[in-house]
Amino acid sequence: MGLEQCEICLNKKTTLRCNICEQYSCKHCTHFVDDNLFKFQDLLPKHISNKSFCPNCFDEKVRDELSDYISIMDKAKDVNVYAKVQSSETRLMRRVAKQIKIKDCEDKEEALMRLAYLAAQKGFDTIVDVDIISKKVKLGGRYKKLVWDGTATPIDSTKK
């Protein structure tokens, strides 16, 4: 942070540099993207992994991907979930897609949401044969924590 002139509003304030184009902008003109916003996206494009953007770079390179991510997240919240023990209910559902897997989630709900996000990202509206298991992992000496792994098969319930 330096005392330069903001290239957007032309005020001499403490400015930040855009991580893409290196343009100076004040904190009122700068767009910030929180790291936790893209919590479920596996491979984040390099230009979005930066935290601060000038308005031009945000509009050209980040806004569309951000809106795509939010729309996929909304679809993921509406994904139907059937556990592996419910196989009698899902036995007639056609399983064509490959099984999806996730590893090392902090809790069970996050693991389930990651599976739903991956299914919604591929265009599916249901996940079946969901199997989420926990395992203990040592942290240093005597401390342990649970991490969750999961598998599911995405299907499109509208197709027969």
Side-chain angles (χ1 to χ4, degrees):
M1 289 198 317
L3 212 66
E4 301 288 334
Q5 183 175 1
C6 175
E7 296 181 24
I8 308 301
C9 65
L10 302 178
N11 286 330
K12 284 204 173 215
K13 299 178 179 177
T14 303
T15 55
L16 302 165
R17 274 192 138 161
C18 175
N19 291 40
I20 296 176
C21 71
E22 305 280 323
Q23 181 179 4
Y24 287 107
S25 58
C26 64
K27 72 177 185 179
H28 298 291
C29 296
T30 302
H31 292 274
F32 296 98
V33 176
D34 187 20
D35 288 340
N36 293 331
L37 183 62
F38 292 99
K39 187 175 179 180
F40 297 112
Q41 191 158 9
D42 290 343
L43 298 173
L44 198 63
K46 187 179 180 194
H47 64 273
I48 291 184
S49 64
N50 302 326
K51 293 184 177 184
S52 59
F53 304 98
C54 69
N56 297 332
C57 290
F58 185 79
D59 289 339
E60 291 173 5
K61 299 177 179 157
V62 177
R63 186 180 305 271
D64 291 337
E65 292 184 31
L66 186 62
S67 64
D68 290 345
Y69 173 80
I70 291 171
S71 69
I72 291 172
M73 205 56 184
D74 289 340
K75 290 177 187 175
K77 291 176 184 175
D78 293 333
V79 167
N80 301 318
V81 177
Y82 293 97
K84 200 169 204 172
V85 296
Q86 294 174 299
S87 62
S88 63
E89 297 173 28
T90 64
R91 70 179 189 270
L92 298 177
M93 293 182 183
R94 193 164 178 217
R95 292 155 174 81
V96 177
K98 287 185 177 180
Q99 190 178 47
I100 53 177
K101 299 176 185 179
I102 50 102
K103 289 185 173 266
D104 300 334
C105 294
E106 294 188 15
D107 61 6
K108 190 174 183 177
E109 288 77 23
E110 179 187 344
L112 187 60
M113 194 62 193
R114 279 186 181 268
L115 289 170
Y117 179 82
L118 290 173
Q121 189 177 31
K122 294 178 180 180
F124 297 103
D125 64 349
T126 303
I127 52 178
V128 296
D129 302 332
V130 176
D131 188 24
I132 298 177
I133 57 171
S134 64
K135 62 182 176 182
K136 287 186 181 179
V137 176
K138 278 191 174 183
L139 297 175
R142 60 181 181 168
Y143 297 105
K144 294 180 182 178
K145 76 172 193 172
L146 287 176
V147 292
W148 298 83
D149 299 339
T151 58
T153 305
I155 63 168
D156 190 2
S157 64
T158 59
K159 294 181 181 177
K160 300 256 177 183

